Amino acid sequence: MQSNELAAPLAWAAAYFLAGLACLYLHGAIFAGGHVWLPAGITVAALWLTPLPRWFALLVLIIAAQVGLGALEQRELWRVLLLAFNETGVAAVAVALLHPRPRPLSGLAFVRALLLVAGGASVASALLGAGWQQVTQGLPFASSLRLWIFSELVGILLVTPALLLCVPGARAHPRGLARGEFLIGLACLAGMLATTYLSFNSDLDRRLLDVEFATSYLPLLLLAVLTLAWGARSGAWAALLLALLAMVYDARGGGPFVKLVQLHASNALLELQVYLGVAALLALFVGAFKTRRGQQLDEAERSRRELHLALAASRQVAYVFDVQTRCFTWQGDVAGVLGVPTAAAQTLDQVLALVSPLDQARLRQRWLDGEDPARVVQMPVRLQDGSAVLDRSRPLPRSRDAGPRVGGVWLIDPAD
């Protein structure tokens, strides 16, 4: 195998090892199932982006990274290998079963595919891992299963989108952010950091507002607005940043979930996992709808440009005339056909002023007479500059949102 084919698997394995070190530092127990296991998201992202023929080297190196983490914890090699094969193998099967190929990288299709992979991989891995822990260590199956599922599920939902949405084909970041959108996103990012500190590492909320947990909702709100302003890619990274801050504060014994445990009212680890899972899903769904909206606008703009070129090539312009407002909406090269810019042909009086006085009354009657039959009418029209055009038009079907309208085209008369 060429060295350049090993570069990407080595990079993924190194990222897995570093993410595992971070989790070990925060929680102190590898494969314990009682934390957010961020490396699971790296495994899924690596498999998602790597062609199937190159999976063998990738899987071997990721398992080697897991063994290295186990060695740091001084765990028995055979136990680490079993758990490594469990996590990595289940993730590989889940991604391999994903359809269609190539795997989606943006929009609602990406969210649906990611949820299927994340849910399937985390549940299957948790069943095997929790069962193994019950047999070998006597740990309760139900509690281990629940914590293990959330540990891997949240890790995948946080890390995988942040990595995959950076791929150029993802189209998950809006092009040409408006100044207002940039400032709103920047303000939301600053606010998310401030409110995360307020709710996880400060007692100002209790002193100023007399609340203990309510301020933990504020980062989620600001995360959603940031994603709307900056797009899915920025939202995914903001969700990961929020998760890292919350995990650090929680590991240091701060935050609302630790307070709940002190009150003997809840499970701090599970509360944190659910909170971060909600943040990841919020960024995913808001970002997906933002991406879909951007794609629809791009497609509409492309269709408009293609229509403009087609009309210009055939030397015609299309219009819709609103009978109630007596205003025109034009498509095509208006200046090339009518000899005036579009802004000078907006109202009925402006358009009639371009037409020979002999044809003005006929056109006025045609556009304003609602009793005309709903069929295409062709009418030769002479413009003020002497050129001839053919007007082909008909009344448009009425809709609930629009009054009577007439649609048509003006075509340069080929016989002129």
Side-chain angles (χ1 to χ4, degrees):
M1 180 177 294
Q2 298 179 358
S3 59
N4 59 344
E5 294 182 357
L6 283 175
L10 283 171
W12 285 118
Y16 186 101
F17 184 80
L18 293 175
L21 281 180
C23 290
L24 291 179
Y25 175 78
L26 291 175
H27 300 283
I30 188 172
F31 301 118
H35 55 272
V36 177
W37 187 236
L38 299 177
I42 294 177
T43 302
V44 172
L47 293 169
W48 199 292
L49 296 176
T50 303
L52 188 60
R54 299 182 181 179
W55 273 20
F56 179 75
L58 175 66
L59 294 175
V60 168
L61 290 172
I62 288 181
I63 290 175
Q66 293 170 306
V67 171
L69 291 173
L72 291 179
E73 289 293 294
Q74 299 180 350
R75 295 173 66 89
E76 295 175 313
L77 178 61
W78 67 275
R79 293 180 183 273
V80 174
L81 283 174
L82 283 175
L83 294 173
F85 278 109
N86 172 28
E87 178 193 327
T88 308
V90 167
V93 172
V95 176
L97 293 176
L98 179 63
H99 294 282
R101 297 182 179 89
R103 300 176 185 92
L105 289 173
S106 63
L108 290 174
F110 168 71
V111 176
R112 181 173 60 251
L114 180 63
L115 289 178
L116 288 174
V117 170
S122 58
V123 171
S125 177
L127 286 171
L128 295 173
W132 173 254
Q133 287 184 337
Q134 184 185 38
V135 171
T136 59
Q137 302 176 34
L139 297 178
F141 178 79
S143 59
S144 297
L145 177 69
R146 182 177 62 244
L147 292 174
W148 195 305
I149 289 176
F150 279 105
S151 175
E152 291 207 2
L153 177 64
V154 177
I156 295 172
L157 294 179
L158 284 170
V159 177
T160 301
L163 297 175
L164 295 184
L165 295 181
C166 290
V167 176
R171 298 177 60 190
H173 192 72
R175 292 173 293 181
L177 277 178
R179 185 171 181 268
E181 291 177 324
F182 174 77
L183 293 177
I184 290 174
L186 188 62
C188 288
L189 177 60
M192 188 189 76
L193 297 176
T195 53
T196 302
Y197 173 82
L198 178 67
S199 58
F200 279 88
N201 200 41
S202 172
D203 60 352
L204 288 176
D205 51 352
R206 181 178 56 80
R207 293 182 179 181
L208 298 178
L209 304 175
D210 196 25
V211 295
E212 288 280 2
F213 314 111
T215 51
S216 61
Y217 300 110
L218 296 178
L220 301 180
L221 171 63
L222 294 168
L223 172 63
V225 179
L226 182 149
T227 306
L228 278 175
W230 282 2
R233 182 191 308 169
S234 299
W237 280 99
L240 181 57
L241 176 60
L242 171 62
L244 292 174
L245 291 174
M247 290 166 64
V248 169
Y249 291 142
D250 189 81
R252 294 173 58 185
F257 309 124
V258 175
K259 295 178 181 178
L260 282 173
V261 173
Q262 293 172 352
L263 297 174
H264 304 286
S266 186
N267 184 317
L269 291 174
L270 188 59
E271 293 281 359
L272 178 65
Q273 289 172 332
V274 172
Y275 180 82
L276 298 182
V278 170
L281 290 173
L282 184 64
L284 270 175
F285 279 103
V286 173
F289 284 111
K290 171 75 173 180
T291 301
R292 183 184 180 187
R293 177 62 174 169
Q295 292 173 344
Q296 290 175 338
L297 292 176
D298 289 342
E299 292 172 359
E301 178 61 21
R302 182 169 58 253
S303 299
R304 189 195 67 80
R305 288 197 304 266
E306 292 174 352
L307 175 62
H308 179 86
L309 292 174
L311 292 172
S314 59
R315 302 186 67 198
Q316 60 182 318
V317 289
Y319 67 83
V320 173
F321 173 68
D322 190 310
V323 177
Q324 293 180 342
T325 63
R326 299 193 175 190
C327 291
F328 286 83
T329 301
W330 294 94
Q331 296 286 345
D333 186 9
V334 176
V337 175
L338 303 183
V340 295
T342 305
Q346 296 293 311
T347 65
L348 178 61
D349 292 338
Q350 288 176 329
V351 174
L352 291 178
L354 304 175
V355 179
S356 168
L358 298 177
D359 295 324
Q360 290 181 4
R362 291 191 303 143
L363 277 176
R364 181 186 293 272
Q365 180 182 10
R366 169 64 183 157
W367 287 332
L368 295 179
D369 188 359
E371 301 300 324
D372 279 358
R375 60 184 178 85
V376 177
V377 175
Q378 181 170 298
M379 183 184 301
V381 177
R382 181 70 61 177
L383 299 182
Q384 291 283 12
D385 60 6
S387 59
V389 299
L390 292 177
D391 175 84
R392 295 192 181 101
S393 60
R394 63 173 293 176
L396 298 176
R398 296 197 182 191
S399 65
R400 184 179 302 177
D401 301 328
R405 296 174 300 166
V406 177
V409 295
W410 273 14
L411 169 66
I412 295 293
D413 192 343
D416 185 53

